[in-house]
């Protein structure tokens, strides 16, 4: 049964990272393949981008879907490790498994919600000729209205982003519920359980990102000078380091967020739990 205690956001984040690192070390046969597949998808993305703006725009969602697919087995394994004390023995990319389908489908739904924020800038660019971002070239003939269109797009994206973030924070504990086949799995139950706890959920995930900041800082110190130091672009060795780091970072973040979401589920998932065994 889900606990009725309400731990602080910082406690949830700290325990989440502890459990995530334990899960990775005890399930290297899951984390290893997840890292390799993520590395392959990240490398494919880096090789295919840069041909044109339209191409880069089109392949970004493909990358997100591919990475969600290959990281789903890891996320499920971490959820089950934290909640059921289960050590998954191997990486299973089983597209026919109902649990896998529901979890991956939920991940894609979340991606689609985030993409809805960018729709405003895409419409402004391709329909009204406004630049996608400040400082980009303006389509000839659209100079007078470009600033206003960009301002409206930014305001609309800001409102959409707030709504999307609120929705995601209210359903994020659905992920661990799906991973352990909880009896109360459902959007409404997730939103009801999260009601009144959205700020704490936000803080827990926000604090969960903090350990990545110094690591990202070190990576930027190493890679940034190479990116701007040559007209030919960064050296292939540094490009490789960048791709490897991004893949490792994703594995760490997904593991940590899965663990944090599991702890939030324990704290707040009364309706979702529905009698599912939770350690």
């Amino acid at each position: 049964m889900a606990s009725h205690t309400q731990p602080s956001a910082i406690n949830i984040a700290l325990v989440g990272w502890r459990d995530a690192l334990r899960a990775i070390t005890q399930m290297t046969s899951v984390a290893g393949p997840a890292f390799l597949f993520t590395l392959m998808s990240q490398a494919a993305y880096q090789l295919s981008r840069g041909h044109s703006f339209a191409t880069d725009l089109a392949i970004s969602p493909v990358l997100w879907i591919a990475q969600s697919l290959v990281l789903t087995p890891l996320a499920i394994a971490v959820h089950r490790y934290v909640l059921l004390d289960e050590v998954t023995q191997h990486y299973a990319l089983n597209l026919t498994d109902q649990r896998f389908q529901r979890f991956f489908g939920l991940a894609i739904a979340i991606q689609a919600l985030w993409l809805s924020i960018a729709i405003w800038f895409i419409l402004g660019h391709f329909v009204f000729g406004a630049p996608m971002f400040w400082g980009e070239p303006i389509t000839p003939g659209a100079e007078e209205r470009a600033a206003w269109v960009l301002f409206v797009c930014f305001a609309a994206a800001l409102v959409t982003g707030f709504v999307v973030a609120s929705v995601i924070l209210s359903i994020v504990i659905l992920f661990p519920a799906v991973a352990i086949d909880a009896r109360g799995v459902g959007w409404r139950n997730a939103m009801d359980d999260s009601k009144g706890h959205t700020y704490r959920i936000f803080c827990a995930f926000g604090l969960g990102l903090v350990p990545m900041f110094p690591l990202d800082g070190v990576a930027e110190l190493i890679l940034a000078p190479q990116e701007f130091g040559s007209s030919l672009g960064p050296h292939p060795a540094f490009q490789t380091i960048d791709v490897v780091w991004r893949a490792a970072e994703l594995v760490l973040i997904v593991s940590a967020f899965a663990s944090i979401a599991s702890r939030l589920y324990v704290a707040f998932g009364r309706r979702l739990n529905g009698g599912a065994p939770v350690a």
Side-chain angles (χ1 to χ4, degrees):
M1 182 177 295
S3 173
H4 294 287
T5 60
Q6 300 201 354
S8 66
I10 190 168
N11 179 262
I12 291 172
L14 289 172
V15 174
W17 266 99
R18 181 202 67 189
D19 291 343
L21 294 175
R22 286 179 178 175
I24 290 173
T25 55
Q26 292 191 35
M27 297 187 295
T28 54
S29 58
V30 177
F35 167 72
L36 290 176
F37 284 128
T38 304
L39 180 64
M40 291 168 61
S41 66
Q42 191 68 42
Y45 171 71
Q46 293 295 334
L47 290 172
S48 59
R49 66 193 294 260
H51 298 290
S52 68
F53 174 76
T55 302
D56 291 349
L57 191 65
I59 63 177
S60 292
V62 176
L63 171 71
W64 299 336
I65 292 172
Q67 291 183 336
S68 295
L69 178 68
V70 300
L71 288 168
T72 288
L74 173 64
I76 291 175
V78 173
H79 284 307
R80 296 182 69 83
Y81 174 84
V82 174
L83 295 172
L84 305 178
D85 202 25
E86 176 184 292
V87 177
T88 304
Q89 298 299 326
H90 62 279
Y91 178 90
L93 196 64
N94 188 358
L95 302 181
T96 61
D97 180 70
Q98 187 177 16
R99 180 193 302 152
F100 185 99
Q101 292 174 352
R102 295 173 75 177
F103 195 99
F104 177 60
L106 179 58
I108 295 303
I110 297 295
Q111 298 282 7
L113 285 173
W114 280 122
L115 281 173
S116 67
I117 301 172
I119 290 296
W120 298 105
F121 295 102
I122 295 172
L123 288 174
H125 179 73
F126 290 104
V127 177
F128 299 102
M132 286 284 286
F133 307 101
W134 292 108
E136 287 193 345
I138 300 174
T139 303
E143 291 86 352
E144 293 184 4
R145 64 174 183 268
W148 283 105
V149 171
L150 194 57
F151 174 79
V152 170
C153 289
F154 179 79
L158 196 64
V159 174
T160 304
F162 177 80
V163 174
V164 166
S166 299
V167 171
I168 292 174
L169 289 171
S170 67
I171 63 173
V172 71
I173 59 174
L174 192 54
F175 279 104
V178 170
I180 65 169
D181 306 316
R183 296 179 185 177
V185 168
W187 296 83
R188 179 168 296 180
N189 283 344
M191 297 182 79
D192 287 342
D193 283 340
S194 300
K195 190 177 297 182
H197 306 297
T198 306
Y199 178 71
R200 187 171 300 184
I201 293 171
F202 169 78
C203 289
F205 282 110
L207 290 168
L209 282 175
V210 170
M212 299 305 302
F213 293 160
L215 297 177
D216 276 333
V218 172
E220 284 298 318
L221 286 174
I222 296 173
L223 298 172
Q226 297 297 322
E227 190 171 345
F228 301 104
S230 170
S231 60
L232 300 177
H235 191 277
F238 287 93
Q239 288 181 313
T240 302
I241 293 172
D242 182 51
V243 169
V244 171
W245 165 241
R246 289 179 187 276
E249 183 180 41
L250 271 172
V251 168
L252 285 171
I253 290 175
V254 166
S255 300
F257 275 20
S259 182
I260 290 170
S262 297
R263 289 300 170 186
L264 290 167
Y265 169 78
V266 170
F268 309 128
R270 182 173 59 85
R271 296 173 182 84
L272 282 172
N273 183 41
V278 178

